Amino acid sequence: KEPHVSPVSPTPPPPCFCWTSASSLGPNPCAALCSQVCKVYRFQTEDRRWLLVREQMSETPLSFSVPKQLLSALIQEHFLCVRVRDVKELGDLSPHWNGLRHDVINHCNHLIGCYQETLAELDKLSSKSSSSKADRHLQFVPTNLHSQRMEVKGPDRVWYEVITVGAPADHHQAFKHGGLRRLLRKHHRERYPDESCRAKELLASIAQLQPLIFGLAEELLSVSSELDLARLQEVLDSLMQETKHFIHALKDELVKSALLAIHSHYAALTGSHVHANGLLCENSQTDREDDGRRDSEYDEEEWDRAWANIAKSLDCIMSMVDRLREREGHLQEQRSPEPRQTDSSPSEQLLPLVVTLRDCVREAVTKARAAMTFVVLQGALAATVAQGPVLIVQRRHAVFSQALSSVVCGFMLKLHGGLEDPEFLQQLHAVGVLAQFEGLLSTYGEEEGMLQDMEVGVADLSGVAFTITEARSERPGDLQPTLRGTWWEHFYTHTHLLCLSIFHNPDPYQYIANPKPNLNSIHTLVLNLTPNPKTSFLLVGTRLWSPQGAVCRRVNGVRLTSCKSAKDRTAMSVTLEQCAILRERHTLSQQHFSTALNSMRRDGCRMENVQKNVGNRKFAFSSVQLLTFPKLYRPPDGSYG
């Protein structure tokens, strides 16, 4: 028997009707929702009371505003601008290293051009339906992103919310070669720690200290010929001080490790040898074996000897100056009018020692500059080329943009709904907010690639956090969220975001990331997430939703449900969850559960979503396909085809 659905009047109305009012369910942040569709139902409870239920589906301007901000950030951030400047400032390089520099510059310039074009096109667009998910200019925009809310009228006004969105995936590049997880694994390269800042500081220090040491050494020679002992000692003290600063800079472990990395990096290059200045040269056939052995047996103590030789050269100069002072003192005591003709001048005695010091400094500078150039180049490569080919980097950014837009929308709605809840605000401060992703995708064909994209996109959200600031006004523009940060260093703010990924079909064994002590109250629910291995897969599929949703709602989390385009399978999941909540929390009559479920699917907001996306009121299921679905995930007759 159909549930009796009616307004408060003696005449029974149709089982479902649309309320065209713009009013919202609970708090409605005008910056997050738009284009709302409402449906109102009345269902009978177990104690024969009437349950008034209102369903609302809303679009969000965040579908475009967040991707636009992300594109702008990617264009402006350091690895697209500062990295290019860094490698350009390295000056003349060997042909091999100069080729790496051009790779970095070309990589960045290509991304900048693509992202500027995409950003310009997004200003002309306003929506992304399921039929547009492969549009090149809509790569960064989430597919069919909506807020699905259900309010239950009663003594206490209660509402539940789910964010529905097409699985974050790059449909434009498609999935012929798999998704991001497979592509990133295929193009994995060795990663070096990014020490570019320290390397640039060392390069600057070397550039400053080398001319000072050379200048003081020349001055020492000049003063020694004047036999001014006080001035000679003053210049020597300055030379000692600057040389010690120079040695201290060179003793940085970064230089030593970088030199070792250079030789290790090129040891695999058959028939080539890398010099300390980074010049890659071809060896002759006769020298190839010896050079290869010399590269493979690189002496790690070679660099220690380089700066130690500088210290020894300085010690020799100090000893020579002491002898010159002693000799000058003896001559003054003997009051000899003229020195012996066999004695050389002080400057002549100091000259070979000063030349040795300069040679040692020059050799150390050459090696240190090569090492730090290698570090800067590796940092630039790691932030650009090492992430994979341009198309893979672009794909990863696009998938991240879709996932980020969905989470930002869910967080904003959750925040506005809990502003008057002290416990929720304390949770935000102490723990953060849980984001739960449900993926209604299979592991066959293209959908396996979508899952791989979604997995990486959700994982990349681990570097995202939220900060709450006071808006300048109540105008919609001032209430829009603002994105800050960089891709390489992630988008960090102050309030932490925890992510829980639930991929329904491929893996029913899931967990909560970074559980906190205040989650102990849901321990039993978490245990229920692990099904009995002996249970059939279809039964596992229908049992998983309730515990997962209960966990997320108990901790004030953000629920996000996805399928290929958030249209058909998502509709089955969302409506089932809504009716399950009505039955478990609001005593919906068991005998009316199925008819309530069919009413929501046939006449509810999700059917309006289908109409909006494809222009007809039919879920895209075939009769054969539905035979593989659990019974509760099947639409009513006449609503599919």
Side-chain angles (χ1 to χ4, degrees):
K1 183 179 179 180
E2 288 287 329
H4 190 63
V5 182
S6 67
V8 182
S9 74
T11 305
C16 176
F17 64 93
C18 177
W19 189 351
T20 58
S21 171
S23 61
S24 62
L25 305 179
N28 178 18
C30 59
L33 299 179
C34 61
S35 303
Q36 296 138 349
V37 175
C38 295
K39 300 284 183 174
V40 179
Y41 313 86
R42 285 184 70 179
F43 301 121
Q44 195 170 30
T45 63
E46 292 179 348
D47 57 2
R48 297 188 177 278
R49 292 184 297 105
W50 290 110
L51 190 65
L52 181 62
V53 179
R54 187 166 60 171
E55 184 186 33
Q56 176 180 293
M57 182 184 68
S58 308
E59 295 181 11
T60 172
L62 300 177
S63 294
F64 278 77
S65 65
V66 172
K68 287 179 182 178
Q69 292 188 59
L70 178 62
L71 283 166
S72 297
L74 290 173
I75 292 170
Q76 297 298 327
E77 74 167 281
H78 292 91
F79 93 92
L80 289 177
C81 298
V82 176
R83 299 286 183 181
V84 173
R85 189 181 67 229
D86 289 344
V87 296
K88 285 182 177 179
E89 291 176 351
L90 291 177
D92 294 333
L93 296 176
S94 67
H96 177 72
W97 284 13
N98 195 48
L100 296 179
R101 170 163 59 186
H102 283 298
D103 289 344
V104 171
I105 295 173
N106 293 338
H107 179 99
C108 294
N109 288 341
H110 182 85
L111 285 178
I112 290 174
C114 290
Y115 292 168
Q116 287 175 337
E117 178 185 355
T118 300
L119 189 59
E121 290 296 325
L122 288 184
D123 290 332
K124 307 173 185 177
L125 304 171
S126 59
S127 64
K128 181 180 180 180
S129 64
S130 62
S131 58
S132 305
K133 56 181 175 285
D135 191 310
R136 178 169 67 93
H137 295 124
L138 292 172
Q139 277 179 292
F140 281 70
V141 178
T143 302
N144 194 22
L145 175 60
H146 285 80
S147 163
Q148 176 84 15
R149 287 180 159 190
M150 180 181 73
E151 179 189 13
V152 181
K153 293 286 189 177
D156 296 321
R157 190 181 185 190
V158 184
W159 53 276
Y160 307 90
E161 186 165 50
V162 178
I163 302 299
T164 63
V165 62
D170 190 346
H171 293 271
H172 171 67
Q173 293 191 33
F175 310 95
K176 181 179 180 180
H177 302 290
L180 275 173
R181 184 181 62 180
R182 178 180 173 186
L183 293 171
L184 290 174
R185 186 179 301 161
K186 179 180 178 181
H187 293 279
H188 172 74
R189 299 188 184 186
E190 184 179 1
R191 297 287 292 274
Y192 294 88
D194 188 11
E195 300 282 2
S196 299
C197 292
R198 284 178 60 200
K200 287 184 288 185
E201 290 174 359
L202 281 171
L203 284 173
S205 179
I206 291 171
Q208 180 183 9
L209 291 173
Q210 181 186 7
L212 284 176
I213 293 173
F214 283 9
L216 289 170
E218 291 295 333
E219 188 176 356
L220 186 69
L221 288 175
S222 176
V223 173
S224 65
S225 63
E226 300 174 1
L227 298 178
D228 186 345
L229 297 181
R231 177 61 180 159
L232 184 65
Q233 185 62 43
E234 180 181 345
V235 174
L236 179 62
D237 290 342
S238 297
L239 178 61
M240 291 169 53
Q241 181 179 4
E242 298 301 335
T243 305
K244 287 179 180 179
H245 289 162
F246 183 74
I247 293 174
H248 179 73
L250 295 182
K251 289 173 69 175
D252 194 306
E253 282 296 321
L254 178 61
V255 182
K256 184 176 180 179
S257 62
L259 286 172
L260 178 61
I262 290 175
H263 285 265
S264 300
H265 185 74
Y266 293 109
L269 296 179
T270 305
S272 62
H273 173 71
V274 61
H275 293 277
N277 63 355
L279 182 62
L280 188 68
C281 298
E282 293 295 325
N283 293 335
S284 65
Q285 185 66 34
T286 56
D287 295 336
R288 190 167 297 168
E289 182 177 350
D290 292 338
D291 286 345
R293 186 182 302 111
R294 183 164 58 251
D295 283 342
S296 61
E297 298 175 357
Y298 172 68
D299 186 0
E300 296 185 23
E301 303 300 322
E302 179 181 343
W303 175 243
D304 293 335
R305 289 194 295 270
W307 58 261
N309 288 339
I310 298 175
K312 291 178 181 178
S313 300
L314 182 62
D315 289 340
C316 291
I317 292 175
M318 293 166 58
S319 298
M320 177 58 69
V321 170
D322 289 340
R323 288 199 297 269
L324 290 175
R325 292 176 61 187
E326 290 176 2
R327 190 185 72 172
E328 185 64 23
H330 289 315
L331 291 175
Q332 290 180 0
E333 290 176 0
Q334 297 173 3
R335 300 183 182 276
S336 175
E338 295 181 1
R340 290 178 296 176
Q341 296 298 323
T342 56
D343 292 339
S344 60
S345 66
S347 60
E348 291 175 342
Q349 297 181 54
L350 279 174
L351 179 60
L353 301 178
V354 169
V355 170
T356 300
L357 174 65
R358 288 187 300 193
D359 289 343
C360 291
V361 169
R362 190 177 292 110
E363 178 186 4
V365 166
T366 300
K367 292 184 176 181
R369 185 172 290 143
M372 296 303 95
T373 299
F374 178 80
V375 172
V376 172
L377 271 176
Q378 289 300 326
L381 288 168
T384 55
V385 180
Q387 292 189 42
V390 172
L391 289 179
I392 294 181
V393 175
Q394 197 169 349
R395 184 187 196 111
R396 189 171 186 177
H397 290 168
V399 172
F400 173 74
S401 175
Q402 296 177 31
L404 179 64
S405 303
S406 307
V407 167
V408 170
C409 177
F411 177 78
M412 281 194 65
L413 297 176
K414 181 63 65 175
L415 177 63
H416 281 267
L419 285 177
E420 298 180 0
D421 184 351
E423 292 185 0
F424 174 68
L425 297 178
Q426 179 62 30
Q427 172 189 328
L428 284 183
H429 175 70
V431 180
V433 61
L434 174 73
Q436 178 202 3
F437 286 80
E438 289 181 344
L440 302 167
L441 294 168
S442 70
T443 56
Y444 301 101
E446 289 189 343
E447 293 196 2
E448 182 179 9
M450 297 175 203
L451 274 173
Q452 293 175 3
D453 274 4
M454 183 177 179
E455 178 185 354
V456 175
V458 172
D460 285 340
L461 291 173
S462 60
V464 176
F466 291 94
T467 183
I468 303 172
T469 58
E470 184 178 358
R472 290 177 295 180
S473 71
E474 294 185 0
R475 292 179 300 179
D478 291 335
L479 296 176
Q480 287 281 350
T482 303
L483 186 66
R484 294 288 185 269
T486 65
W487 173 263
W488 186 242
E489 297 178 354
H490 297 294
F491 295 90
Y492 288 113
T493 45
H494 300 296
T495 304
H496 296 290
L497 171 67
L498 308 179
C499 291
L500 169 63
S501 301
I502 302 293
F503 296 119
H504 171 47
N505 284 355
D507 186 5
Y509 298 91
Q510 303 294 338
Y511 60 92
I512 290 183
N514 300 328
K516 299 295 181 178
N518 63 338
L519 299 183
N520 289 336
S521 62
I522 61 169
H523 180 67
T524 303
L525 289 172
V526 174
L527 292 179
N528 289 337
L529 287 175
T530 306
N532 187 335
K534 297 180 181 180
T535 308
S536 69
F537 180 78
L538 291 181
L539 289 179
V540 170
T542 58
R543 287 173 50 190
L544 272 177
W545 303 119
S546 180
Q548 293 171 359
V551 169
C552 188
R553 285 188 293 270
R554 185 73 62 86
V555 296
N556 297 311
V558 177
R559 275 179 57 75
L560 302 101
T561 299
S562 302
C563 63
K564 186 174 181 179
S565 57
K567 178 172 60 70
D568 304 309
R569 281 168 282 184
T570 297
M572 302 300 104
S573 174
V574 168
T575 51
L576 176 59
E577 180 179 357
Q578 290 179 166
C579 288
I581 291 173
L582 294 177
R583 180 181 60 188
E584 295 168 6
R585 293 196 171 192
H586 302 282
T587 66
L588 174 67
S589 173
Q590 180 63 35
Q591 64 181 356
H592 293 131
F593 178 84
S594 296
T595 50
L597 185 61
N598 289 338
S599 294
M600 286 188 175
R601 289 173 175 174
R602 186 188 303 110
D603 304 306
C605 290
R606 300 315 301 183
M607 185 58 77
E608 300 297 331
N609 184 270
V610 173
Q611 174 75 37
K612 181 191 301 185
N613 277 272
V614 297
N616 63 57
R617 302 179 69 82
K618 296 282 187 180
F619 293 111
F621 298 127
S622 66
S623 300
V624 175
Q625 181 183 11
L626 290 178
L627 293 177
T628 66
F629 279 30
K631 184 177 180 180
L632 293 177
Y633 286 87
R634 298 174 186 173
D637 293 339
S639 65
Y640 62 90

